Amino acid sequence: MPSSFTVKHAAGYEQLMGRWSRKLAPLLIEFAGLEDGERVLDVGCGTGSLTFALPRVAAVQEVIGIDYSPVFVEEAARRNKDPRISIRQADACALPFPDGSFDRALSLLVLHFVPDAAKAVSEMRRVVRPGGVVAAAVWDHLGGLQSMRMTWDTLAARSSAAREARSRYFFQPMMRPGEMRQCFIGQGLLDVQETSLTIRMDYRSFDDYWEPIAAGEGPLGKFVSALSQADRAEADAAVRAAYEGGQPDGPRSFAAVAWACRGVCPTS
C-alpha cells in the first residue's frame, strides 16, 4: 500500500526531514527499548535514520529495514556498510515475513502516511514474537510541528485550497492525542504506553528551510509545486516573511514534537 508522503529525491528528503528524523531516532529507541542479540524490523525505513541508529545502541543480531519507495530503498541500501543490516522494498500492510520473526518492530515517522495505519500495526504485531515489542512515532502536525505549521497557516490565510490541504495534513492517522494508543490496544497489544518526544529543528537560513519544499518534497512541497507562477511567487514571499518574523534572515530554531507509542505482543 503506497504512502501518502511525496518523495522525489533522497537528498531533498534529507534536507526536509531526514536530518530531523536522525535526531528523533535515539529517543524512539530509548522509549521502545533494545537489547543485545535482538532481530529488529524497521517499518518504513526511509533513508535509514532509525535503521542505522539501532546497532549503535545495542549489539543487535540483525536489522531489516523495509520501505515502499524505491527512492528510499536505493538510498538506504547505498548507505549501508553494516553486514547485520539489510534493506528491502516491501509494503507495511503486507510484511513479507513469517509470524514471530522479530523481537521488535519499530516505525519512525511513517504510520501517519499509511492510509490503513491499523493494518500496518496489525502486521507489525504479527511479525513480532510473543513478548516482543511494537513501537512507533509520528509527528504531531497540529500542535507540535511548528516549522511546518508556520507555512501551512501562512498559505491557508491566502486560499481555500491551502486550508483544505492543511486540514488533511493536520489530521492524518495517529495524530490526535490517544489515537495511536487506542489503535495499538485495538490490535491486541498489551501494556500500551503513549508519550511525546521533542527535538528542535535548527535552520541556518530561510533557504535552508525552504529549498526542499520549493523543490516539491513532502506534502507541503507537493502543494507548493502545484501553484501557478504568480501564486508561487506570493507564497515564497509570504513564507519568507513568516520565517524571518520581522528580523533579518538567519538561524531559526523550532520545537518539533512527535507522539510515540509502544506495546507488548501477547504471550498466549
Side-chain angles (χ1 to χ4, degrees):
M1 180 178 292
S3 164
S4 62
F5 186 88
T6 303
V7 58
K8 300 179 70 174
H9 303 288
Y13 171 81
E14 278 295 295
Q15 187 176 359
L16 176 71
M17 196 56 64
R19 52 182 166 170
W20 313 127
S21 59
R22 284 196 297 276
K23 294 179 69 173
L24 188 63
L27 302 185
L28 176 60
I29 295 171
E30 181 180 5
F31 175 65
L34 189 64
E35 300 290 339
D36 292 351
E38 291 189 334
R39 300 184 73 241
V40 186
L41 178 65
D42 178 3
V43 177
C45 64
T47 53
S49 297
L50 178 61
T51 301
F52 300 135
L54 289 161
R56 294 195 291 268
V57 174
V60 294
Q61 177 184 341
E62 182 181 21
V63 177
I64 297 179
I66 67 101
D67 206 284
Y68 192 86
S69 166
V71 174
F72 284 147
V73 171
E74 180 180 358
E75 179 63 13
R78 185 189 69 80
R79 293 180 177 197
N80 183 29
K81 303 296 188 288
D82 190 327
R84 296 171 295 175
I85 295 174
S86 60
I87 309 296
R88 306 182 192 181
Q89 185 173 15
D91 185 344
C93 293
L95 295 172
F97 307 107
D99 296 359
S101 300
F102 300 92
D103 298 289
R104 297 177 200 265
L106 278 60
S107 184
L108 180 66
L109 305 180
V110 174
L111 291 183
H112 49 320
F113 292 115
V114 178
D116 191 352
K119 177 61 175 176
V121 174
S122 173
E123 279 290 276
M124 292 170 72
R125 177 198 159 172
R126 179 184 66 79
V127 301
V128 170
R129 63 167 174 81
V133 171
V134 172
V138 303
W139 289 126
D140 176 7
H141 280 178
L142 176 67
L145 201 58
Q146 295 181 13
S147 64
M148 295 296 115
R149 171 137 200 183
M150 170 187 72
T151 294
W152 277 117
D153 285 349
T154 299
L155 298 176
R158 309 178 67 83
S159 77
S160 60
R163 289 192 288 275
E164 292 172 4
R166 178 183 63 175
S167 180
R168 291 192 298 271
Y169 179 81
F170 283 173
F171 296 104
Q172 289 171 270
M174 308 293 193
M175 288 187 171
R176 290 176 172 87
E179 185 178 6
M180 190 157 38
R181 182 176 182 275
Q182 288 304 312
C183 178
F184 274 41
I185 292 171
Q187 296 307 318
L189 291 162
L190 306 177
D191 190 24
V192 177
Q193 304 170 44
E194 185 178 85
T195 190
S196 58
L197 309 174
T198 302
I199 64 167
R200 295 201 72 86
M201 295 178 169
D202 298 304
Y203 297 96
R204 298 186 301 274
S205 64
F206 175 70
D207 285 345
D208 185 36
Y209 168 77
W210 188 240
E211 279 177 358
I213 298 171
E217 296 291 347
L220 186 50
K222 181 179 180 180
F223 179 84
V224 169
S225 65
L227 296 173
S228 68
Q229 186 173 358
D231 287 344
R232 171 66 178 274
E234 290 183 3
D236 288 356
V239 176
R240 176 183 285 276
Y243 175 91
E244 292 177 352
Q247 297 294 314
D249 189 15
R252 300 291 189 271
S253 183
F254 299 92
V257 180
W259 292 114
C261 195
R262 59 160 281 165
V264 178
C265 294
T267 56
S268 61

